[in-house]
């Protein structure tokens, strides 16, 4: 009888674990089934984006949960994705519905690839951040800065101006993003050129020379980690990249150049002949909504294009900066010529 009692107690003890394990297996099987179904499903929306995957995952997931739409995101550099779009237009086999990211001067130079759409959020967005024809809308605002390693750069060598980077102290110690691959790098190139009445090619040439032999990065997001770890003493990048990293990395310091900088939005655009046009418009409205725009300020340290959202923590107000006049249309028209000149430096 005692043996029977022990067996009964043993069953009572292990029964919850059996049921729990069965539930886990059931959930796992269900999740795997969903994954297989999602992988085999045709997408409800295709997005081309140069944004880093870790930054946009949450936004994409939230959009899926709210709408039930299956989204396929194709990642790549701004130039690479625009070239892909051009190839698709020539072949008349459209793929993308939305282009999300890249400096708006890059989008401006490829306006023939997009169709007009004025978002429902437009009334809360600064008019200067919306294309006159509605072919693109700013998503966030990128201010171009200098970042330096405060442990390695003495106080008397802090680069407060773009021109300070010509100092022999920085020879082979500067990392800069390649404007042929990065949209924000093309904006930086223009910022440096705008520091004189004519195009300041002499300064740009010297800064590029200072980055030889290894300091030419394929993306602006490669700059600040390289400076933080001491591989390079200083670098050129966008403000948000540094603010995000500086919260956890004490060696990094940020400079808004006293000889002037530019603040330019990256954009979002509806692709011409989009197969999923209504879904694409819903997505554009979503990323320009107050909810998502607050998210990019708090999580990405990007300045919002909206007028009803505060600055990222640690960012200087625009009125405290010397912002150079920057004509987006002009920068777009000159892009081929400027990149050709850049290659020849």
């Amino acid at each position: 009888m005692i043996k029977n009692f022990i067996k009964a107690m043993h069953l009572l003890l292990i029964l919850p674990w059996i049921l729990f394990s069965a539930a886990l297996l059931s959930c796992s099987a269900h999740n795997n089934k969903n994954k297989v179904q999602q992988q085999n499903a045709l997408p409800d929306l295709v997005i081309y984006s140069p944004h880093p995957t870790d930054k946009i995952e949450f936004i994409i997931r939230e959009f899926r949960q709210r709408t039930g739409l299956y989204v396929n995101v194709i990642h790549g550099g701004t130039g690479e994705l625009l070239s892909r779009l051009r190839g698709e237009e020539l072949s008349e086999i459209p793929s993308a519905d939305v282009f999300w990211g890249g400096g708006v001067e890059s989008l401006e130079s490829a306006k023939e690839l997009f169709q007009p759409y004025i978002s429902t959020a437009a009334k809360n967005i600064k008019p200067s951040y919306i294309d006159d024809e509605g072919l693109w809308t700013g998503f966030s605002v990128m201010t171009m800065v200098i970042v330096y390693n405060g442990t390695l750069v003495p106080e008397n060598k802090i680069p407060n101006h773009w021109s300070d980077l010509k100092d022999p102290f920085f020879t082979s110690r500067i990392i800069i993003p390649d404007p042929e691959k990065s949209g924000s790098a093309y904006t930086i190139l223009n910022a440096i050129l705008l520091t004189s009445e004519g195009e300041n090619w002499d300064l740009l040439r010297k800064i590029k020379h200072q980055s030889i032999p290894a300091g030419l990065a394929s993306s602006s997001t490669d700059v600040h980690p390289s400076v933080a770890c001491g591989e390079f003493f200083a670098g050129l990048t966008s403000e948000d990249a540094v603010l995000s990293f500086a919260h956890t990395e004490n060696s990094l310091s940020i400079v808004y150049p006293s000889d002037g900088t530019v603040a330019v939005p990256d954009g979002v655009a509806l692709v011409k002949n989009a197969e999923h046009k209504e879904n694409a418009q819903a997505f554009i409205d979503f990323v320009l909504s107050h909810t998502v725009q607050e998210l990019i300020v708090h999580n990405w340290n990007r300045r919002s294009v909206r007028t009803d959202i505060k600055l990222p923590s640690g960012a200087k107000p625009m009125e405290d900066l010397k912002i150079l006049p920057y004509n987006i249309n002009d920068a777009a028209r000159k892009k081929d010529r400027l990149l050709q000149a850049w290659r020849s430096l």
Side-chain angles (χ1 to χ4, degrees):
M1 191 168 176
I2 293 173
K3 287 182 179 179
N4 289 337
F5 176 76
I6 292 171
K7 285 181 181 179
M9 290 301 294
H10 180 66
L11 283 172
L12 286 172
L13 286 170
I14 66 170
L15 184 59
W17 290 104
I18 293 171
L19 294 173
F20 180 67
S21 299
L24 281 178
L25 287 170
S26 174
C27 288
S28 176
H30 179 71
N31 288 338
N32 288 335
K33 183 180 177 183
N34 283 344
K35 286 178 183 177
V36 170
Q37 287 176 342
Q38 194 175 71
Q39 286 169 359
N40 294 332
L42 291 174
D44 300 307
L45 181 65
V46 179
I47 298 171
Y48 282 6
S49 179
H51 287 308
T53 54
D54 60 323
K55 287 189 173 180
I56 66 172
E57 261 182 5
F58 182 86
I59 294 174
I60 294 293
R61 185 168 61 249
E62 184 70 16
F63 180 73
R64 283 174 179 161
Q65 290 173 350
R66 292 192 183 199
T67 63
L69 298 174
Y70 169 43
V71 183
N72 185 23
V73 183
I74 307 297
H75 297 279
T78 304
E80 172 196 348
L81 292 173
L82 288 175
S83 295
R84 180 168 173 169
L85 267 187
R86 286 193 179 94
E88 289 166 0
E89 186 185 38
L90 290 173
S91 66
E92 298 183 348
I93 305 175
S95 175
D97 302 301
V98 173
F99 197 97
W100 180 29
V104 292
E105 62 271 69
S106 295
L107 304 189
E108 182 73 21
S109 69
K111 288 174 79 168
E112 71 280 2
L113 301 174
F114 308 120
Q115 59 180 308
Y117 178 62
I118 300 298
S119 170
T120 55
K123 62 182 181 295
N124 295 113
I125 296 173
K126 293 179 181 178
S128 59
Y129 295 153
I130 303 175
D131 174 57
D132 292 339
E133 302 169 69
L135 293 170
W136 52 259
T137 303
F139 168 66
S140 62
V141 183
M142 299 184 295
T143 306
M144 302 308 155
V145 300
I146 301 170
V147 58
Y148 70 93
N149 188 307
T151 305
L152 300 174
V153 178
E155 190 173 348
N156 65 333
K157 294 294 183 180
I158 292 173
N160 293 306
H161 309 75
W162 299 111
S163 55
D164 291 340
L165 297 170
K166 296 187 298 182
D167 192 308
F169 174 78
F170 290 107
T171 301
S172 299
R173 291 172 170 174
I174 294 176
I175 180 170
I176 60 178
D178 187 348
E180 294 193 81
K181 298 177 181 178
S182 164
S184 58
Y186 179 68
T187 306
I188 292 170
L189 177 151
N190 277 280
I192 295 170
L193 291 179
L194 286 168
T195 55
S196 65
E197 288 187 16
E199 293 175 351
N200 200 343
W201 283 103
D202 180 60
L203 175 57
L204 188 64
R205 182 183 296 106
K206 289 175 180 175
I207 290 176
K208 185 178 182 182
H209 179 74
Q210 296 282 60
S211 70
I212 294 171
L216 198 60
S218 59
S219 169
S220 58
T221 56
D222 295 333
V223 171
H224 54 280
S226 300
V227 175
C229 73
E231 185 180 357
F232 295 92
F233 284 18
L236 313 183
T237 188
S238 58
E239 168 193 60
D240 59 288
V242 188
L243 290 176
S244 298
F245 212 70
H247 291 317
T248 56
E249 183 50 68
N250 294 329
S251 65
L252 280 183
S253 295
I254 186 172
V255 168
Y256 298 91
S258 298
D259 40 354
T261 189
V262 295
V264 182
D266 63 345
V268 60
L270 176 63
V271 175
K272 188 189 291 183
N273 300 320
E275 184 180 353
H276 311 100
K277 184 176 179 179
E278 289 186 6
N279 296 344
Q281 291 171 340
F283 179 79
I284 292 171
D285 292 341
F286 179 68
V287 298
L288 298 175
S289 68
H290 193 279
T291 300
V292 173
Q293 289 286 306
E294 273 201 327
L295 178 74
I296 65 172
V297 169
H298 293 298
N299 289 20
W300 293 16
N301 290 288
R302 285 272 181 99
R303 296 174 189 251
S304 172
V305 293
R306 293 180 61 111
T307 57
D308 53 356
I309 292 180
K310 294 179 180 179
L311 288 174
S313 174
K316 281 190 177 182
M318 288 293 188
E319 54 268 27
D320 293 346
L321 307 179
K322 181 179 179 180
I323 301 296
L324 299 167
Y326 188 62
N327 187 311
I328 291 170
N329 295 329
D330 188 48
R333 283 193 298 269
K334 296 190 299 186
K335 188 171 185 179
D336 288 341
R337 175 179 68 81
L338 295 187
L339 291 180
Q340 173 87 30
W342 165 262
R343 282 191 290 271
S344 69
L345 289 180

